[in-house]
């Protein structure tokens, strides 16, 4: 999970919650984990060291982070342990992801692939349990989105952000290796539509948006406003901070 580190102002007083229902969220999570596992299995030995759009991580480190995040939510014990370690390191997303990358660095690529395939179904079940138990509670730390800080409910993390995070890293790895990215309307299109809805709610301005590709679609909010057209994956990359956006595309969304 990646986030900018600039703190300027707080946008919301209420903790942000998921827009999509839990069953849909968990279906997306299960499919995304499956697709990420397939992607890892296809990597050749030389591809694990390719640089990615996250400058500090090569493909190997990125896969280690995704594995570590899946393991964190697979059991309550791992959830507590990783968060305690993160708190001792100063807290925050950067400390958590650094711990995950370091923790998984001892694994060979083959071990990492096998371990991810094993933990993925348990991660989905763990996210369901955690979301039911503490999903309505606000997370203890503020999160940074663009130039603002805000509170998230745990359910927003478990049901939404962790799937977006895995999805965006699947995009990162496809770009790093030059491999095709599997995209379908019934999975990626649903995920992108949720991103669009949150983006529109965050900026609150009229617009017409057309996203191209298998995960795309057309959305109109209000009358007037700019007409935007771009690839659906690139739209999400821009909103994640991986690309540069102007006007309404400067509004970031968590991934």
């Amino acid at each position: 999970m990646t986030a900018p580190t600039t703190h300027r102002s707080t946008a919301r007083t209420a903790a942000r919650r998921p827009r999509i229902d839990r069953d849909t969220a968990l279906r997306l999570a299960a499919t995304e984990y499956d697709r990420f596992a397939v992607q890892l299995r296809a990597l050749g030995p030389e591809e694990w060291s390719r640089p990615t759009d996250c400058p500090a991580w090569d493909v190997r480190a990125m896969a280690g982070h995704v594995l570590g995040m899946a393991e964190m939510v697979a059991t309550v014990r791992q959830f507590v342990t990783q968060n305690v370690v993160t708190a001792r390191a100063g807290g925050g997303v950067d400390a958590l992801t650094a711990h995950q990358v370091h923790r998984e660095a001892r694994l060979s690529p083959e071990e990492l692939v096998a371990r991810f395939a094993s933990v993925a179904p348990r991660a989905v079940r763990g996210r369901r349990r955690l979301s039911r138990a503490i999903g309505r509670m606000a997370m203890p730390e503020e999160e940074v989105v663009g130039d603002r800080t805000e509170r998230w409910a745990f359910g927003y993390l478990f049901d939404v952000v962790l799937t977006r995070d895995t999805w965006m890293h699947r995009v990162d790895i496809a770009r790093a290796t030059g491999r095709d990215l599997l995209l379908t309307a019934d999975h990626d299109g649903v995920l992108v539509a949720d991103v669009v809805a949150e983006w529109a709610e965050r900026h609150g301005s009229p617009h017409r948006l057309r996203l191209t590709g298998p995960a795309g679609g057309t959305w109109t909010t209000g009358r007037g406003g700019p007409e935007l057209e771009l690839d659906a994956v690139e739209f999400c990359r821009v909103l994640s901070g991986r690309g540069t956006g102007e006007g309404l595309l400067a509004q970031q969304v968590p991934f």
Side-chain angles (χ1 to χ4, degrees):
M1 184 169 61
T2 56
T5 55
T6 301
H7 294 254
R8 294 185 185 173
S9 61
T10 300
R12 294 167 64 94
T13 55
R16 183 170 291 276
R17 301 183 185 277
R19 299 179 63 93
I20 56 177
D21 65 89
R22 188 168 297 151
D23 286 343
T24 299
L26 292 169
R27 174 176 61 81
L28 293 174
T31 300
E32 190 53 44
Y33 283 149
D34 286 346
R35 293 188 180 186
F36 194 80
V38 169
Q39 183 185 55
L40 294 187
R41 290 192 192 99
L43 295 177
E46 74 287 353
E47 293 177 306
W48 290 89
S49 60
R50 298 274 180 89
T52 72
D53 286 335
C54 296
W57 292 347
D58 60 10
V59 170
R60 173 67 183 74
M62 183 170 284
H65 153 62
V66 176
L67 170 60
M69 196 67 82
E71 290 183 332
M72 182 186 77
V73 294
T75 66
V76 174
R77 180 177 180 179
Q78 267 296 310
F79 183 74
V80 172
T81 297
Q82 288 202 36
N83 279 281
V84 167
V85 171
T86 299
R88 289 174 178 170
V93 170
D94 291 343
L96 174 61
T97 58
H99 166 66
Q100 291 165 346
V101 171
H102 175 75
R103 182 173 178 266
E104 311 300 350
R106 68 188 185 279
L107 300 176
S108 68
E110 294 77 15
E111 289 171 329
L112 193 154
V113 171
R115 195 144 150 182
F116 184 81
S118 174
V119 77
R122 292 185 284 119
V124 175
R125 294 193 296 270
R127 285 166 64 174
R128 183 186 293 276
R129 288 191 299 268
L130 287 166
S131 190
R132 283 175 173 171
I134 61 173
R136 293 181 177 275
M137 294 174 56
M139 294 171 58
E141 294 183 342
E142 290 186 328
E143 302 298 326
V144 184
V145 181
D147 62 353
R148 299 187 175 189
T149 60
E150 61 186 30
R151 289 284 183 184
W152 295 354
F154 274 109
Y156 180 67
L157 173 68
F158 299 140
D159 294 348
V160 176
V161 174
L162 293 185
T163 300
R164 289 181 187 170
D165 181 57
T166 306
W167 184 85
M168 184 56 70
H169 290 321
R170 183 161 63 91
V171 172
D172 292 334
I173 291 174
R175 287 170 54 84
T177 59
R179 290 179 174 267
D180 291 338
L181 180 67
L182 174 60
L183 297 170
T184 61
D186 62 343
H187 172 66
D188 308 270
V190 176
L191 191 152
V192 170
D194 183 54
V195 172
V196 171
E198 182 177 326
W199 167 77
E201 181 270 327
R202 283 177 177 275
H203 66 66
S205 299
H207 64 276
R208 179 175 173 81
L209 174 68
R210 181 173 182 268
L211 299 181
T212 59
T218 301
W219 295 266
T220 300
T221 298
R223 294 184 177 182
E227 295 189 8
L228 307 172
E229 180 173 342
L230 66 165
D231 175 75
V233 173
E234 186 59 24
F235 171 79
C236 291
R237 289 188 68 255
V238 169
L239 268 54
S240 76
R242 285 164 172 77
T244 301
E246 298 180 351
L248 299 185
L249 293 178
Q251 173 61 61
Q252 292 194 4
V253 173
F255 279 84

